[in-house]
Amino acid sequence: MSIDQVSNSIKKLSYKQQVHLLSAGVLVFLLLFVSCSKEKNTQTKHADKSLPSQVVKNAHLIRSLGGNVDIELTAPCIEIYSRDTSLMCCPQGIDITFINPDMTKKAHLKADYAINRNNSNLYYIKDNVQIIDFENQDTFYCTDLYWIKDSALLRTDLPVRRVSSSGTDFGDGLRATDTFDSVRIKNPHGTQLVDENQ
């Protein structure tokens, strides 16, 4: 049916029928408009929830206690979410260097992902976790790790591998201070050479 035929058909309708037809058209248009705008609002609300409120690129943070730098943290990206719960996430990895009062490095922690919820002192660090103890020249590998920042404790209950100059050994977990003055591997097994003079 062409536009001219539609126009002629409308002209043949009575005035009352034309008003009803026009009203029906407006009603259909309004219903479509309202349903589309509701759908759009719902989609933007869901999208907004998943977006961070702040993004910090190439972050370099330094913490000092009593005037002494004790931690240096770098991350390619830090995302901060503040909608329902406060959340800080390092989706591209994290590097933390623990520093002695004389500014020498005592340990280095590296992982592919880190998260902190509700501005707490508990950080969950996971995926390719590597810890280097510079004093003892030990390197620890695990899949995840909890760092309790104020207590200066590192812990995991998942398998751990330690590589040192005296060999490689394994364990079922790790408890350590971030100064690495105290390190305990749960259920150690593997090969380590022990110096008789120690």
Side-chain angles (χ1 to χ4, degrees), residues 56-128:
V56 179
K57 296 284 187 183
N58 300 317
H60 184 197
L61 309 171
I62 295 174
R63 183 182 87 168
S64 66
L65 291 174
N68 293 321
V69 173
D70 69 332
I71 292 172
E72 183 177 7
L73 182 148
T74 59
C77 176
I78 297 177
E79 297 177 345
I80 299 167
Y81 299 83
S82 57
R83 294 217 179 258
D84 296 334
T85 59
S86 180
L87 177 75
M88 185 186 84
C89 176
C90 300
Q92 297 174 25
I94 192 168
D95 273 272
I96 303 170
T97 303
F98 301 97
I99 301 170
N100 288 310
D102 65 358
M103 295 303 290
T104 58
K105 296 178 182 179
K106 55 183 154 188
H108 181 255
L109 187 152
K110 182 169 80 168
D112 291 345
Y113 184 86
I115 191 167
N116 172 270
R117 294 182 188 278
N118 301 319
N119 295 319
S120 69
N121 289 309
L122 179 66
Y123 286 78
Y124 178 60
I125 300 167
K126 67 174 190 166
D127 299 337
N128 297 314

Side-chain angles (χ1 to χ4, degrees), residues 70 98-101 106-107 133-136 147 152-154 176-183:
D70 69 332
F98 301 97
I99 301 170
N100 288 310
K106 55 183 154 188
D133 174 3
F134 290 112
E135 186 175 332
N136 297 315
W147 175 36
L153 294 175
L154 301 167
T177 58
D178 62 18
T179 59
F180 278 80
D181 296 333
S182 169
V183 178

Side-chain angles (χ1 to χ4, degrees), residues 2-3 15 21 34 38 42 46 73 76 80 90 92 96 106 109 121-122 131 145 149 165 181 183 194:
S2 72
I3 293 176
Y15 176 76
L21 183 63
V34 169
K38 279 186 182 176
T42 305
H46 290 300
L73 182 148
I80 299 167
C90 300
Q92 297 174 25
I96 303 170
K106 55 183 154 188
L109 187 152
N121 289 309
L122 179 66
I131 307 163
L145 186 74
K149 193 170 68 170
S165 58
D181 296 333
V183 178
V194 179

